[in-house]
Amino acid sequence: MNHSLDRRQIHLWRIAIYFIFALPGFTIASWVSRTPAIRDTLGATTAQMGWIILGMAVGSIIGLLVASHLIAHKGGRFVMVAGLMISCVGLVVIGLGGSWLANGITVFVGLAVFGFGNGICDVAMNVEGTAVERAAHKSLLTGFHAAFSVGTLLGALAGSAAIKAGISVPVHMAIAVVVIILSILFLYRLVPAGTGKETAGDTMAPPMSARERMSVWKERRTVLIGIIVFGMAFAEGSANDWLPLIMVDGYKTTPAMGSFAFGLFVAAMTIGRASGDMLLDRFGRVAVLRASALLAIAGLLIVILGQNYTVAALGIVLWGLGAAFGFPVGLSAAGDDPRGVAARVSAVATVGYLASLVGPPFLGLIGESVGLLRALFIVLIAVTAAGLLSQAAKPIGEQKQNP
């Protein structure tokens, strides 16, 4: 599979994957940017919106769990395209349910469909990303994840422009769908077919059975990489969900300054990911993961113990830089072995998603008792564990064989 590609084909494949990583970010931001308008149309309370938004989490987790089986049978390109098309269907349903139909159940169903499409696409594009890394013989996955962040930023800017222009929610969603479909039609031809597909004709090793694909959850190395990703995804998800409120409640700053602090975090994380591939090729995964854990630990301590906004802002930048690497580097490590790559990437991606989904609400519950700033000590512990286990991400070929 993909052994006969020349340098130009690998280069085009790489460029296509950068753009494909940006597309889910664009779609998610398209939905998020219209949540206030959809909430107002539905007349939903905060609690009701929480239940509606749960639809996306449910769909995403189902998608993440079935993705490896789909990729093993159909290949990464097919699953990426299918996932993005399913996401488009979800966006259309969300747009209709959140405006003309004004129906919360419809929005929930749309989000579940949208989440499922994003879930299977997320695993497939990471499988493709690890395959491009092997073909190009260089680290690329952190750069691909930076492209996701850029796509999210572009989607947010487009959403803001749509709101200012008075474009209705369904029309905005339809425009986003057109952008995605046109992008897919152009990009999919640059991606070789069959990446991650396991067939009986594979001369390297027999294909994995469904039971074997599930058994990767018991592999020591996969479990340890999962813990690394859990800690770092928890650090990322906690900032995404709580950072503005942490600054408002903990430092008595304005909501605008709280939002600016979150912007600092996102910018630092994007810069970290954009430069990550160069650092990984020079210093290796283990050193980069240890350094990123130390940066995140230092950043969190500064935010927790800082006495003023300016000092805390420095901590936020370090926190963002530190949180940038764990998820993409963990996925890259999970994809070292071409046999079962989809199963391992799917397992690690699922752990990371659960950490960013379940971790922040847990943090909120603890924060209710001790305050959000003090609750960050839990994130600190998770990041420390990730740093201590960094050795597990060492490439398989560099590890000493255990007797």
Side-chain angles (χ1 to χ4, degrees):
M1 271 186 310
N2 305 330
H3 298 305
S4 59
L5 296 179
D6 59 33
R7 186 176 295 180
R8 181 176 175 276
Q9 288 172 314
I10 292 170
H11 180 67
L12 291 173
W13 183 16
R14 174 180 170 181
I15 290 171
I17 299 302
Y18 275 118
F19 279 97
I20 288 169
F21 260 81
L23 293 178
F26 182 83
T27 61
I28 289 169
S30 299
W31 138 251
V32 171
S33 66
R34 301 314 293 258
T35 49
I38 291 172
R39 181 194 62 189
D40 293 345
T41 301
L42 297 175
T45 64
T46 302
Q48 287 169 335
M49 277 302 287
W51 283 107
I52 290 169
I53 291 170
L54 185 65
M56 183 173 169
V58 171
S60 297
I61 290 171
I62 294 170
L64 288 165
L65 290 172
V66 304
S68 65
H69 306 293
L70 291 173
I71 294 166
H73 287 98
K74 295 289 187 180
R77 184 177 78 173
F78 177 90
V79 176
M80 278 193 309
V81 172
L84 287 166
M85 297 298 280
I86 291 167
S87 295
C88 286
V89 173
L91 275 182
V92 171
V93 175
I94 292 165
L96 293 173
S99 59
W100 298 333
L101 298 177
N103 185 288
I105 294 174
T106 304
V107 176
F108 178 93
V109 171
L111 281 168
V113 173
F114 177 70
F116 178 81
N118 262 338
I120 63 172
C121 180
D122 185 66
V123 176
M125 66 190 190
N126 278 295
V127 167
E128 290 285 342
T130 59
V132 180
E133 282 190 326
R134 287 196 300 274
H137 304 293
K138 58 171 66 177
S139 300
L140 297 170
L141 213 58
T142 52
F144 291 144
H145 280 256
F148 177 90
S149 299
V150 172
T152 306
L153 177 61
L154 292 174
L157 291 173
S160 178
I163 293 165
K164 286 181 180 175
I167 296 172
S168 69
V169 173
V171 173
H172 177 192
M173 296 301 140
I175 293 170
V177 164
V178 169
V179 170
I180 300 300
I181 291 174
L182 290 176
S183 300
I184 294 168
L185 289 174
F186 179 75
L187 294 169
Y188 92 95
R189 293 170 297 174
L190 305 177
V191 179
T195 304
K197 188 175 181 179
E198 297 184 359
T199 65
D202 193 331
T203 56
M204 298 297 290
M208 271 187 160
S209 66
R211 177 177 287 182
E212 283 180 302
R213 285 195 293 275
M214 293 305 294
S215 72
V216 301
W217 288 86
K218 300 177 186 175
E219 293 173 354
R220 183 175 182 273
R221 182 172 184 266
T222 304
V223 169
L224 293 177
I225 291 170
I227 295 170
I228 294 170
V229 168
F230 183 93
M232 291 305 196
F234 187 19
E236 181 182 344
S238 299
N240 288 340
D241 282 19
W242 291 112
L243 192 50
L245 271 177
I246 285 169
M247 298 309 290
V248 170
D249 291 355
Y251 286 88
K252 310 303 178 194
T253 189
T254 63
M257 292 299 281
S259 294
F260 178 76
F262 176 59
L264 273 180
F265 178 86
V266 174
M269 204 165 74
T270 304
I271 290 167
R273 284 181 172 169
S275 62
D277 296 332
M278 179 183 67
L279 294 171
L280 285 162
D281 283 335
R282 182 164 184 181
F283 299 109
R285 287 180 195 153
V286 177
V288 169
L289 281 174
R290 283 176 178 160
S292 66
L294 287 171
L295 282 173
I297 289 165
L300 283 161
L301 282 171
I302 291 169
V303 171
I304 294 167
L305 305 174
Q307 298 299 307
N308 61 64
Y309 183 92
T310 306
V311 173
L314 170 63
I316 287 166
V317 171
L318 296 177
W319 180 0
L321 287 170
F325 299 97
F327 200 17
V329 174
L331 290 170
S332 180
D336 278 350
D337 186 353
R339 184 173 187 261
V341 60
R344 293 186 186 90
V345 170
S346 175
V348 171
T350 302
V351 169
Y353 192 84
L354 284 172
S356 58
L357 178 75
V358 177
F362 175 70
L363 199 69
L365 290 173
I366 302 297
E368 188 76 27
S369 304
V370 300
L372 284 169
L373 271 179
R374 296 290 174 263
L376 287 178
F377 277 113
I378 297 167
V379 182
L380 193 68
I381 293 167
V383 170
T384 303
L388 291 172
L389 295 175
S390 298
Q391 187 73 16
K394 181 179 280 193
I396 289 175
E398 297 176 17
Q399 292 184 8
K400 292 180 180 179
Q401 294 294 319
N402 292 320

